[in-house]
């Protein structure tokens, strides 16, 4: 991975050098980062949704972030898109689209439409009052108009075609819907349900393409069976990854890979790639010590015990571990900043074809 980062650094310098000389300010490798998805990349949109079930607007979320304050990110610190943006040369991050500050020149950096508990299937998101993927796309169209007003139509088109688009969602479709929705699991087996979800993604990516997107990265399904909340809910008392759930994630990922190949074949000028989080997160979960982590089963913060609270830090108990960087997971579902850094390396390596 060191060589990948070095390659990006060289690319950043080459693309930004307009005459050479010491002190030349490197320009980001892409003009903007535009994100869609769920809590894995939500940077605070749910803070502006009064009825949203999942929020990270309270301690100990954000304890390792700037000013040690909760921002709406579901981690102790930075998430993978923050780190990816930094690697690409950005000095600041795109704001949550619902933030009042997401206006004017701030829109030039891109936009983040992600919402915790959103999923591929709109029904899953609606159950938790999250921003559905359909609504995120509507917000994106609105963003396009706002960007044109700020930058002018020609410049806005250039930004939108060269921007990096990141889609990270789907975990909720399994954990918060399929696994405890008897009518859904009776209607679809895992293969059929995965087909449904990747079909939604294919339509979503095709719509983004029609709207000007040319660089799209989509995260793989994580190892669902290795998440602490999954082990607690479905592990039958065993302190190990739940094999059945990991196999479901693998089934989805195989189908997603086939869909990516089909989209590439359909659109010759579309750069699209899977940003693999399954492999690095499973590696961390099954052999944490090899990567310098002490705990992959527990959570740094104390989670709740009932219903949705099993996934998140318990707001009524402030207890956290002494060193979040020694834990793979900060809460029942979301990685620590240190684990996010490990996964971001894998994502950048997988996605280098999108930005060069």
């Amino acid at each position: 991975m060191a060589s990948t980062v070095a390659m990006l650094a060289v690319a950043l310098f080459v693309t930004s050098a307009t005459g050479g000389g010491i002190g030349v300010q490197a320009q980001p490798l892409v003009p903007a980062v535009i994100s869609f998805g769920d809590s894995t990349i939500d940077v605070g949109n749910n803070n502006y949704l009064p009825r949203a079930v999942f929020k990270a607007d309270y301690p100990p979320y954000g304890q390792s972030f700037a000013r040690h304050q909760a921002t709406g990110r579901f981690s102790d610190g930075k998430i993978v898109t923050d780190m990816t943006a930094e690697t690409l040369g950005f000095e600041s991050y795109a704001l949550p689209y619902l933030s009042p500050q997401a206006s004017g020149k701030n829109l030039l950096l891109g936009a983040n439409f992600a919402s915790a508990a959103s999923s591929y299937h709109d029904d899953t998101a609606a159950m938790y009052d999250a921003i559905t993927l359909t609504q995120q796309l509507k917000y994106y169209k609105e963003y396009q108009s706002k960007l044109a007003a700020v930058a002018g139509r020609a410049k806005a088109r250039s930004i939108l075609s060269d921007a990096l688009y990141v889609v990270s969602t789907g975990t909720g479709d399994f954990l918060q819907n399929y696994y405890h929705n008897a009518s859904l699991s009776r209607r679809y087996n895992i293969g059929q349900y995965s087909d449904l979800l990747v079909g939604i993604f294919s339509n979503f990516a095709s719509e983004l393409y029609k709207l000007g997107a040319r660089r799209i990265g989509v995260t793989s399904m994580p190892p669902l069976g290795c998440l602490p909340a999954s082990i607690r809910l479905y592990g039958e008392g065993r302190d190990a990854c739940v094999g059945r759930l990991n196999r479901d994630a693998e089934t989805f990922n195989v189908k997603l890979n086939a869909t990516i190949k089909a989209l590439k074949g359909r659109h010759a000028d579309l750069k699209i790639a899977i940003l693999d989080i399954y492999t690095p997160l499973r590696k961390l979960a099954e052999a944490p010590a090899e990567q310098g982590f002490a705990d992959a089963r527990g959570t740094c913060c104390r989670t709740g015990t009932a219903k949705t609270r099993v996934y998140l830090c318990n707001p009524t108990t402030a207890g956290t571990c002494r060193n979040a960087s020694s834990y793979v997971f900060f809460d029942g579902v979301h990685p620590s900043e240190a684990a996010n850094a490990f996964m971001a390396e894998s994502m950048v390596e997988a996605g280098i074809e999108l930005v060069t």
Side-chain angles (χ1 to χ4, degrees), residues 122-135:
D122 283 355
D123 285 355
T124 304
M127 290 165 59
Y128 299 94
D129 289 303
I131 308 170
T132 64
L133 205 57
T134 298
Q135 181 60 48

Side-chain angles (χ1 to χ4, degrees), residues 191-214:
Q192 294 167 333
Y193 190 57
S194 295
D195 284 334
L196 173 68
L197 299 181
V198 297
I200 293 170
F201 167 73
S202 180
N203 292 336
F204 183 79
S206 296
E207 189 64 23
L208 282 181
Y209 177 84
K210 290 177 188 175
L211 294 168
R214 293 297 181 269

Side-chain angles (χ1 to χ4, degrees), residues 42-277:
D42 185 353
V43 294
N45 279 310
N46 275 27
N47 292 355
Y48 302 95
L49 300 176
R51 297 193 301 167
V53 174
F54 295 110
K55 295 185 180 184
D57 58 352
Y58 58 90
Y61 290 111
Q63 66 179 22
S64 305
F65 201 71
R67 295 190 295 276
H68 310 290
Q69 293 178 344
T71 63
R73 289 166 171 80
F74 288 77
S75 184
D76 60 299
K78 297 174 186 176
I79 56 176
V80 288
T81 45
D82 297 331
M83 297 166 183
T84 301
E86 290 174 356
T87 303
L88 294 173
F90 288 91
E91 295 181 355
S92 55
Y93 317 123
L95 295 165
Y97 186 68
L98 297 186
S99 166
Q101 282 73 48
S103 61
K105 290 185 177 180
N106 286 336
L107 296 176
L108 297 173
L109 292 172
N112 184 299
F113 305 98
S115 173
S118 188
S119 293
Y120 284 115
H121 205 297
D122 283 355
D123 285 355
T124 304
M127 290 165 59
Y128 299 94
D129 289 303
I131 308 170
T132 64
L133 205 57
T134 298
Q135 181 60 48
Q136 290 183 37
L137 191 63
K138 289 179 181 177
Y139 281 146
Y140 171 66
K141 293 175 182 177
E142 183 180 275
Y143 164 75
Q144 288 188 311
S145 299
K146 291 181 179 179
L147 184 65
V150 174
R153 288 187 179 180
K155 180 64 174 176
R157 277 197 299 271
S158 175
I159 291 172
L160 294 169
S161 64
D162 289 336
L164 174 64
Y165 293 76
V166 179
V167 182
S168 180
T169 193
T171 300
D173 284 312
F174 289 92
L175 293 187
Q176 286 135 35
N177 197 353
Y178 186 83
Y179 290 142
H180 61 81
N181 185 338
S183 64
L184 196 62
S185 57
R186 278 196 301 266
R187 201 179 324 149
Y188 303 100
N189 62 33
I190 284 295
Q192 294 167 333
Y193 190 57
S194 295
D195 284 334
L196 173 68
L197 299 181
V198 297
I200 293 170
F201 167 73
S202 180
N203 292 336
F204 183 79
S206 296
E207 189 64 23
L208 282 181
Y209 177 84
K210 290 177 188 175
L211 294 168
R214 293 297 181 269
R215 308 168 188 259
I216 303 174
V218 56
T219 58
S220 60
M221 191 66 63
L224 297 171
C226 292
L227 307 178
S230 296
I231 293 172
R232 184 170 174 179
L233 292 170
Y234 307 108
E236 298 177 348
R238 291 190 291 273
D239 188 27
C241 295
V242 184
R244 171 176 62 89
L245 272 59
N246 281 349
R247 288 190 293 274
D248 293 347
E250 290 165 3
T251 296
F252 174 90
N253 289 338
V254 168
K255 294 178 180 294
L256 181 63
N257 188 57
T259 297
I260 294 296
K261 289 181 179 177
L263 286 166
K264 283 182 177 179
R266 204 175 304 151
H267 307 295
D269 59 340
L270 174 63
K271 293 184 176 183
I272 186 167
I274 292 178
L275 307 176
D276 181 26
I277 59 173

